[in-house]
Amino acid sequence: MQNMENFLQAVRGGEYDERLRRLYVFHDTSEELEAARAKVCHVIEGFEQAFPGVDCTGAAVFSGPGRTEIGGNHTDHQHGCVLCGSVNMDILACAVPTGDNFVKVISEGYPALTIDLNDLAIHADETNTSAALIRGVAHGVTKEGFAPKGFCAYVTSTVPGGSGLSSSAAYEILLGNIFNRFCCEGKLDAVKLAQIGQYAEREYFGKPCGLMDQAASSIGGVVAIDFNDPSQPVIRKVDYDLARSGYQLCIIDTRSCHADLTDDYAAITREMGAVAAFFGKQVLRQVDEAEFYAAIPAVREKAGDRAVLRAMHFFDENRRAQAQAKALDEGDMEGFLALVRESGRSSAELLQNIWSVAEPAQQAVTLSLALAEKALGGRGAVRVHGGGFAGTIQAFVPQEKLESFVNTMEAVLGEGACHPVSVRPEGGCMVMSSEKE
């Protein structure tokens, strides 16, 4: 595989160093750079070992980043606004076009997958599997008028499953970029790739997701999304460099169990929907806020107090997500952090998604939030991250407090629970190609 050896030499020789600095958001020239080079070389060498004898003409490395929800907790399903971003933890693949009708993927630590592109029907037995996502993304490509072609890929990941960073969206965007390169002539833009990923996850994987995760992973940077019309969401990049703000973004794994939380998640959508239905609407974005407050006595009698509180959260949080984007647009980091703190309080007190009523003794998210607040000492900000009830929290930590913050959180939650991450300026992409362009 002389072609791959030349590729490896170019990576080790520093030819792609600036590219790696951009994607993995670091400024040192030593340890972090060597780690990034080693990461790319590892996936190329993994391909060589996994697919011996394959013609490696056209080999390329692709990246699908994880994402973080920055603002808009449980607003998207009510056609609200969110603020999100891609992060510098990603799923990485070395892939080679084969020209046949088979996609062969070996993900490190998992069984090999082979998908026949002649069969892009939904397979019920593939629900919640990577195979479903491959087949779904391929079918999404055909819906855009392109004929998907086969490839071999070796895949590694630094996006932990269940970390709240959306490994499924990262995988979908990774696949979309591979197909885009090998059979679409690069004609699918970042938004279209996000929509294809959402289609694959909803129809093939079996998860009725919104577009936030895929859009954040695909577009890159900090992204504001308005879902007022879900078929045509308004998406824009927010031009602010969080890495230079003096704060470190951390995602903290509370090491709590996601099992049997379906009813908790569904209750939020159901109760918000019940309030909307009181006014003859489908979602809360369609309800006039002043009419809602005027009708609270009747609404609480019909839908219950918790539904009223959750609707109050939606109206405030929808405004707050827009205000957070505006604060970053204006470079107002302290104003932004104040809004993050407000969001956290609203999720805890109004949305009530930091512990499950089905298991009140298990309050890892609540405990983690309390520990983080104490460790921050009145500075920075902390909030629940994503769906809630279990999983992760998010913190913006002053750089000078980062070491003590990580130590405090991991002393209780365990080593590796606190992930310092950076918002990277580029979303899903081809990182590099063995062919000079």
Side-chain angles (χ1 to χ4, degrees), residues 68-69 247-252 333 336-337 340 368-369 372-373 375-376 379-385 392-398 402 405 409 418-421:
T68 181
E69 174 202 282
Y247 291 87
Q248 175 65 57
L249 171 60
C250 292
I251 302 298
I252 300 99
M333 188 63 183
F336 166 79
L337 291 173
V340 173
S368 299
L369 289 168
E373 289 273 12
L376 288 172
R379 298 185 60 196
V382 61
R383 66 191 279 273
V384 67
H385 183 244
T392 58
I393 65 172
Q394 177 189 75
F396 291 87
V397 183
L402 180 61
F405 180 84
M409 300 309 294
C418 187
H419 302 280
V421 298

Side-chain angles (χ1 to χ4, degrees), residues 96-120:
V96 169
T98 55
D100 58 20
N101 289 318
F102 294 93
V103 171
K104 299 178 180 179
V105 176
I106 296 178
S107 295
E108 197 166 72
Y110 294 90
L113 293 173
T114 298
I115 300 299
D116 184 349
L117 296 176
N118 292 312
D119 175 17
L120 297 181

Side-chain angles (χ1 to χ4, degrees), residues 13 34 70 73 75 92 136 151 165 167 176 211 214 224 230 242 262 278 282 296 304 316 353:
E34 284 303 319
I70 300 170
N73 194 218
T75 55
L92 202 64
F151 59 84
L165 299 174
S167 57
L211 188 63
Q214 292 82 3
L242 282 171
T262 302
F278 179 90
Q282 292 184 319
I296 280 181
D316 290 344
N353 70 331

Side-chain angles (χ1 to χ4, degrees), residues 221-239:
V222 180
V223 182
I225 310 174
D226 186 338
F227 289 105
N228 193 35
D229 179 356
S231 66
Q232 293 184 304
V234 178
I235 303 172
R236 72 174 184 89
K237 295 193 73 167
V238 176
D239 187 19

Side-chain angles (χ1 to χ4, degrees), residues 9-18 33 37:
Q9 288 177 15
V11 175
R12 291 172 178 143
E15 188 171 327
Y16 300 103
D17 285 358
E18 289 308 310
L33 178 57
R37 287 178 182 171

Side-chain angles (χ1 to χ4, degrees), residues 162-243:
S163 65
L165 299 174
S166 193
S167 57
S168 58
Y171 192 70
E172 293 149 17
I173 298 306
L174 176 83
L175 293 168
N177 275 276
I178 296 173
F179 279 119
N180 198 26
R181 166 75 176 181
F182 291 159
C183 58
C184 305
E185 300 177 345
K187 293 181 178 179
L188 300 174
D189 64 21
V191 173
K192 183 57 66 179
L193 290 172
Q195 291 170 333
I196 289 173
Q198 180 198 28
Y199 169 77
E201 186 154 343
R202 289 175 68 96
E203 303 301 325
Y204 283 73
F205 190 78
K207 179 182 177 183
C209 64
L211 188 63
M212 180 185 73
D213 294 352
Q214 292 82 3
S217 178
S218 188
I219 295 169
V222 180
V223 182
I225 310 174
D226 186 338
F227 289 105
N228 193 35
D229 179 356
S231 66
Q232 293 184 304
V234 178
I235 303 172
R236 72 174 184 89
K237 295 193 73 167
V238 176
D239 187 19
Y240 185 80
D241 185 1
L242 282 171

Side-chain angles (χ1 to χ4, degrees), residues 27-56:
H27 306 288
D28 289 349
T29 57
S30 52
E31 186 176 337
E32 291 174 307
L33 178 57
E34 284 303 319
R37 287 178 182 171
K39 179 178 175 177
V40 174
C41 288
H42 175 74
V43 78
I44 296 171
E45 291 167 338
F47 183 95
E48 288 185 295
Q49 295 172 12
F51 299 103
V54 170
D55 179 357
C56 292

